[in-house]
Amino acid sequence: MTNNAPTITRDGVIGQDGSEVVTVDQATGAEFARYSVAGKEEAAAAVAAARSVSGPWWDLGFEGRAEQLRAWRREMAISGEEGVALIHAENGKPLDEARVEVLGILEHVQYAVENAERVLGRRDVPDSPTVPNQRAWVEYQPYGVVGVIGPWNFPLLTPGAILVEAIAAGNAAILKPSQITPGIGEWLVRAWQRAVPDLPDVLQCLNGFGATGQALIESGLNKLAFTGSVATGKTVAAQCAQTLTPVLLELGGKDGVIVAEDADLDEAARHIVWGAMQNTGHGCISLEVAYVVESVHDAFVEKISDLAKQVRAGSDDAAEIGPVPLPTQIPIIREHIRDALDRGATATVGGLDAVGERYVTPTVLVGVSPDALAVTEETFGPTLAVVKVTDTEEAIAHVNGGRYGLGSAVFSRDRGEDIARQLRVGMTSINDALVFSINPAVPFGGRGDSGYGRKQGEEGLREFAYPHSFTAKTGPAQFSATTFGRPAGAMAGALAGVRNRILAESGEKTD
């Protein structure tokens, strides 16, 4: 007898007929919900529907779109606790951490409403002395249809911020959420449909696995934003290159924190433990490696060890970190801990025993070799590797020597900015942790294997609009630089005039 029921795993499954994603409640492991898998036909239909409404959406203008975004924000605020419950169930993070995501997306919408026209509206540019009878300006126009492939670790805030910027810039958008957390994508779309019933297809959701994402890429998007692993990001970029589809890549990180000799160790310890362990360490910007100057190393290790021991993993209201919702991540965390220990590190908190089947409790590794996996590769778990350095110059060299370049942090009373400015990364918090991810006005993105492009801030809005340059003739000129038949000697005279002006500006004699 054939069993037609899918086998439920914590990372979702396709039903026997290939038509379903099954999600689970991370707290219990029981089936939570089922969603239809979108294929090529569904992806093509979604893009066609998005393209049909992209023109009317753009035609609303900045204030018209702002009015609709305000209505969307209101609907999300009203149903915020529903979104919180979905994140808690599908991702497993504590309820208050899920509330942080809902609060964050509401703030992103507010930023877009208040700043889209200022950033993307018509902007006059200086005239050219070579063509003084021309005025010039720039307008930012939407790409059209933007696809967003989102992650499971921050299933609302990460793709949501991108969706807000894409829509505020005048695009229609299609979200393909992680198969682990599709419910929050559906929640976003439901809120949009209630808020903007006349243009519901401006925001759509397609559920499925990797094949659904590939179908979306191949369906004629005008731009794609992908958040995920480096390996998958390279595959996505290669797929987009086939059609010259521009892409924003938000990939992995191995974020380092530098603790200088003049750091406030109590403050550093509090922020670093949180920055390393929050969200169960499931963050591309989680602080995974601490480079600590030797003069304060031992005192710092004692403080972070005491704090890390107090961080509780679980699914109840008292828990500060939740389970690991992606089962394949468990062996990676275990391997990184084992590799560090094999190379001579010691675990002042946790260790191999901290890695369970569903939960990983905090681990602090001390005396870690700089070439250990816990230092060089993304762990994506509640671990912190501590590397002792002679001075901040050595710490800077370690951070800059890695293949990633996303976030970072620096703790120093007097030299924080000087140290931070030398780091070749996209973002740095000084005497705090991860603040750049909270403020929607701050550009977010990396370099190297951490990807390219930016979300958030002015750069995030411009990421989803292209500059269209204009010039317009205002009247006749003494001669035209853009036609044949110029008067004899006109261009030679013009060049001589510019030369003499440059010489005069530098105090040199002219002819």
Side-chain angles (χ1 to χ4, degrees):
M1 182 175 180
T2 303
N3 180 8
N4 291 320
T7 301
I8 301 172
T9 63
R10 285 192 290 129
D11 56 345
V13 298
I14 300 178
Q16 291 293 329
D17 60 356
S19 63
E20 289 186 310
V21 171
V22 179
T23 63
V24 299
D25 186 322
Q26 295 294 336
T28 65
E31 179 178 327
F32 182 69
R34 297 188 177 213
Y35 301 88
S36 296
V37 170
K40 291 184 178 181
E41 291 184 3
E42 290 83 1
V47 171
R51 199 171 307 287
S52 71
V53 298
S54 60
W57 176 244
W58 171 247
D59 290 342
L60 288 177
F62 287 107
E63 184 49 46
R65 289 192 295 277
E67 182 179 350
Q68 305 303 320
L69 287 165
R70 291 188 194 100
W72 186 32
R73 184 172 184 257
R74 177 180 178 275
E75 289 295 333
M76 287 191 289
I78 291 172
S79 62
E81 287 298 329
E82 178 189 351
V84 167
L86 284 166
I87 296 171
H88 174 65
E90 292 186 338
N91 172 278
K93 67 178 63 181
L95 288 169
D96 274 354
E97 294 303 310
R99 291 185 178 101
V100 169
E101 292 204 51
V102 176
L103 288 167
I105 196 65
L106 296 176
E107 191 170 347
H108 275 281
V109 177
Q110 186 66 24
Y111 176 84
V113 165
E114 294 176 351
N115 293 280
E117 184 169 11
R118 176 184 64 81
V119 175
L120 300 176
R122 174 171 170 152
R123 174 171 57 89
D124 292 332
V125 299
D127 297 335
S128 165
T130 304
V131 283
N133 66 327
Q134 301 278 339
R135 61 187 175 90
W137 70 96
V138 176
E139 296 178 7
Y140 291 88
Q141 299 184 344
Y143 283 94
V145 180
V146 174
V148 179
I149 298 178
W152 54 265
N153 59 325
F154 286 94
L156 174 60
L157 189 52
T158 294
I162 295 171
L163 290 168
V164 168
E165 290 154 359
I167 292 171
N171 302 279
I174 301 170
L175 170 64
K176 189 276 172 192
S178 166
Q179 68 271 17
I180 297 175
T181 54
I184 197 63
E186 296 284 349
W187 175 80
L188 269 174
V189 171
R190 287 196 301 273
W192 177 266
Q193 291 172 342
R194 290 194 300 269
V196 194
D198 294 337
L199 291 170
D201 290 334
V202 168
L203 176 60
Q204 301 174 69
C205 182
L206 293 176
N207 291 311
F209 295 78
T212 300
Q214 183 174 350
L216 180 60
I217 294 171
E218 295 172 350
S219 61
L221 297 172
N222 300 112
K223 182 153 188 174
L224 177 76
F226 170 82
T227 304
S229 70
V230 175
T232 305
K234 290 179 179 180
T235 299
V236 167
Q239 291 173 345
C240 289
Q242 300 304 307
T243 53
L244 295 180
T245 302
V247 59
L248 161 65
L249 295 177
E250 183 184 325
L251 307 179
K254 192 66 184 179
D255 291 10
V257 51
I258 296 175
V259 181
E261 68 283 347
D262 66 337
D264 181 327
L265 296 187
D266 290 320
E267 279 286 288
R270 288 195 308 112
H271 290 296
I272 292 171
V273 168
W274 178 83
M277 309 301 172
Q278 60 86 32
N279 201 43
T280 320
H282 300 148
C284 53
I285 56 170
S286 293
L287 297 177
E288 294 198 358
V289 188
Y291 298 99
V292 185
V293 172
E294 58 185 352
S295 61
V296 297
H297 175 273
D298 293 350
F300 173 76
V301 167
E302 182 178 355
K303 291 178 184 295
I304 61 170
S305 299
D306 289 343
L307 291 174
K309 290 174 184 176
Q310 302 171 36
V311 178
R312 185 175 178 277
S315 59
D316 56 32
D317 292 343
E320 292 163 302
I321 62 176
V324 178
L326 183 65
T328 55
Q329 197 63 36
I330 295 281
I332 295 173
I333 299 170
R334 182 183 293 111
E335 180 188 9
H336 285 199
I337 294 173
R338 177 180 289 113
D339 175 74
L341 296 174
D342 288 347
R343 294 171 185 265
T346 57
T348 61
V349 180
L352 288 173
D353 292 341
V355 184
E357 293 183 1
R358 296 177 60 82
Y359 292 89
V360 178
T361 57
T363 290
V364 175
L365 298 165
V366 178
V368 184
S369 172
D371 59 356
L373 294 174
V375 175
T376 61
E377 300 294 332
E378 188 173 42
T379 305
F380 226 63
T383 66
L384 178 66
V386 180
V387 178
K388 184 190 295 186
V389 294
T390 303
D391 49 33
T392 55
E393 285 70 26
E394 182 183 349
I396 293 167
H398 279 305
V399 173
N400 291 343
R403 63 190 183 96
Y404 297 100
L406 194 56
S408 61
V410 173
F411 287 85
S412 170
R413 285 187 173 92
D414 298 325
R415 298 191 299 120
E417 288 189 33
D418 291 339
I419 296 169
R421 197 166 285 113
Q422 298 178 64
L423 300 179
R424 294 190 290 113
V425 297
M427 304 158 291
T428 305
S429 288
I430 300 171
N431 294 323
D432 211 313
L434 317 188
V435 178
F436 46 75
S437 68
I438 298 172
N439 184 347
V442 175
F444 185 109
R447 55 171 294 280
D449 276 11
S450 292
Y452 46 77
R454 293 294 184 272
K455 68 178 183 182
Q456 297 186 184
E458 296 183 9
E459 287 81 354
L461 286 167
R462 291 196 184 103
E463 188 76 38
F464 298 100
Y466 65 91
H468 185 170
S469 302
F470 298 85
T471 61
K473 191 174 182 179
T474 57
Q478 183 177 356
F479 65 88
S480 175
T482 57
T483 63
F484 294 113
R486 305 176 190 120
M491 299 311 293
L495 177 57
V498 171
R499 180 199 64 206
N500 289 340
R501 185 168 66 249
I502 292 172
L503 292 174
E505 289 171 353
S506 60
E508 298 180 55
K509 291 184 178 180
T510 60
D511 295 338

